Amino acid sequence: MKLLVINNLSSGFGDGSVYDFIRSAVQDGDEVCVRSTDGTTPVSALLDDAASYDAVVASGGDGTVATVNYLLANTGVPVLPFPAGTANLLALNLSSPLEPHALAKMVREMRTLDFDMGEIEVADKRFGFGIMAGAGYDAAIMHGAEPAKRLFGPMAYLSAAIANPLPQTSRFTIELDGETVQSEGVGILLVNFSRIQFDIAVTHENKPRDGVFDVVVLKAQNAFELIPALLAGILDRGGDFPDRTGALEIHRARAVRVEADPPMEVQYDGEATRLTTPFSARILPKAARLIVSEEGYAQFAE
């Protein structure tokens, strides 16, 4: 087996677990190439010959994995998302293990599925995302959590949310596959995978292979009004599918354009862009080929 490991040195806690993965994965005759970046070298410079490898291991946070998947979109190159970030939401959604030896077993089994991705364009820049992107309150949380992620891990997001209980409200003009909708709220999310921190489901269903986004408007006027919707998301684990209340307005579309007045900051897969609305986004159907666990395959295979 020939593996290319893209290692983001600045992700997560810097515990070096990817090296334990490599030691566990390699067998006689195998070749492993490790290419590292701390953010100075662009990931694109590390993937020029990715097609000559049996698989690419994307070691980092969800933003790192999204970047690798976007650069390899529609190439058919299998990617193993190696959860070395803070929240590791893609691993949560895929029911993937976090332990390096279990991930090594996964890559040897080479069980793959093709998943949708999103492409978001803002201020003439394009980014790929796998889980969700959006603007407003979620971006403010990502921005606020950045300084403390390495110290506090996932709790940094909760701390950032508590520190901003009265987020900005904007009026949205949203184009959904050519149809225009007006709304108002503290943020908007384009959802591909639906589970976020603490295993809360933003929407009832988790269908990242159906070729459409769930477009979720956070209609609350303050953070406290979102609490019933978050509790409903927690109760979803039991299969009861409770109502999200009026705090969430949900649409579905393949192509989306969002304007906000006043403008809101944009984020994708936990990466704060420092850019503001308007933005446009489109679905890339089954563009990312991911290596998944047996449980993940059973969950998402058609």
Side-chain angles (χ1 to χ4, degrees):
M1 180 175 287
K2 188 176 178 183
L3 295 178
L4 172 60
V5 178
I6 305 300
N7 181 27
N8 188 340
L9 299 168
S10 62
S11 290
F13 302 103
D15 61 1
S17 58
V18 70
Y19 302 110
D20 293 328
F21 161 84
I22 293 170
R23 283 192 291 269
S24 183
V26 293
Q27 297 180 7
D28 180 68
D30 287 349
E31 176 184 338
V32 179
C33 175
V34 181
R35 295 174 183 164
S36 298
T37 178
D38 62 3
T40 304
T41 300
V43 172
S44 58
L46 310 178
L47 289 170
D48 287 343
D49 58 347
S52 67
Y53 290 84
D54 294 312
V56 172
V57 179
S59 175
D62 292 315
T64 301
V65 177
T67 299
V68 170
N69 282 329
Y70 184 53
L71 291 167
L72 296 178
N74 296 310
T75 65
V77 175
V79 175
L80 174 70
F82 188 92
T86 306
N88 302 310
L89 296 183
L90 186 56
L92 169 68
N93 279 276
L94 291 172
S95 300
S96 294
L98 302 181
E99 201 272 327
H101 304 289
L103 290 162
K105 184 174 183 288
M106 273 176 56
V107 83
R108 300 301 313 191
E109 293 171 344
M110 197 58 70
R111 188 184 295 104
T112 65
L113 284 173
D114 294 339
F115 290 88
D116 298 339
M117 288 199 71
E119 179 185 70
I120 187 168
E121 183 173 355
V122 53
D124 296 323
K125 298 179 183 294
R126 293 185 180 183
F127 308 95
F129 64 95
I131 304 165
M132 60 187 71
Y137 191 38
D138 59 313
I141 291 173
M142 302 305 172
H143 194 158
E146 276 190 333
K149 285 198 296 186
R150 180 161 286 199
L151 181 61
F152 295 115
M155 293 303 295
Y157 298 102
L158 179 60
S159 176
I162 292 172
N164 188 16
L166 299 172
Q168 170 190 308
T169 299
S170 290
R171 295 177 296 278
F172 297 114
T173 301
I174 311 166
E175 290 185 18
L176 302 162
D177 292 338
E179 296 187 8
T180 301
V181 173
Q182 304 285 337
S183 193
E184 185 174 336
V186 297
I188 185 167
L189 291 171
L190 309 185
V191 178
N192 187 35
F193 285 96
S194 66
R195 296 194 174 276
I196 59 173
Q197 283 86 353
F198 313 110
D199 200 21
I200 296 170
V202 177
T203 59
H204 292 316
E205 296 181 305
N206 195 8
K207 292 187 173 182
R209 307 181 71 225
D210 62 355
V212 293
F213 296 120
D214 287 318
V215 182
V216 181
V217 180
L218 308 178
K219 290 187 66 65
Q221 298 299 304
N222 57 65
F224 303 107
E225 291 181 10
L226 290 172
I227 292 175
L230 293 175
L231 291 175
I234 293 171
L235 293 174
D236 252 355
R237 299 174 190 169
D240 296 327
F241 303 111
D243 185 14
R244 288 299 192 274
T245 74
L248 302 185
E249 176 185 310
I250 302 176
H251 308 274
R252 288 169 65 79
R254 295 181 298 275
V256 182
R257 176 173 169 78
V258 176
E259 297 181 8
D261 181 22
M264 288 182 158
E265 185 177 350
V266 175
Q267 67 85 20
Y268 68 96
D269 280 358
E271 300 293 320
T273 65
R274 310 297 198 274
L275 304 172
T276 60
T277 53
F279 71 79
S280 59
R282 66 186 181 108
I283 202 81
L284 304 177
K286 296 184 179 179
R289 180 160 296 174
L290 303 182
I291 299 172
V292 297
S293 65
E294 185 176 358
E295 183 179 350
Y297 189 90
Q299 181 179 355
F300 292 110
E302 296 174 346

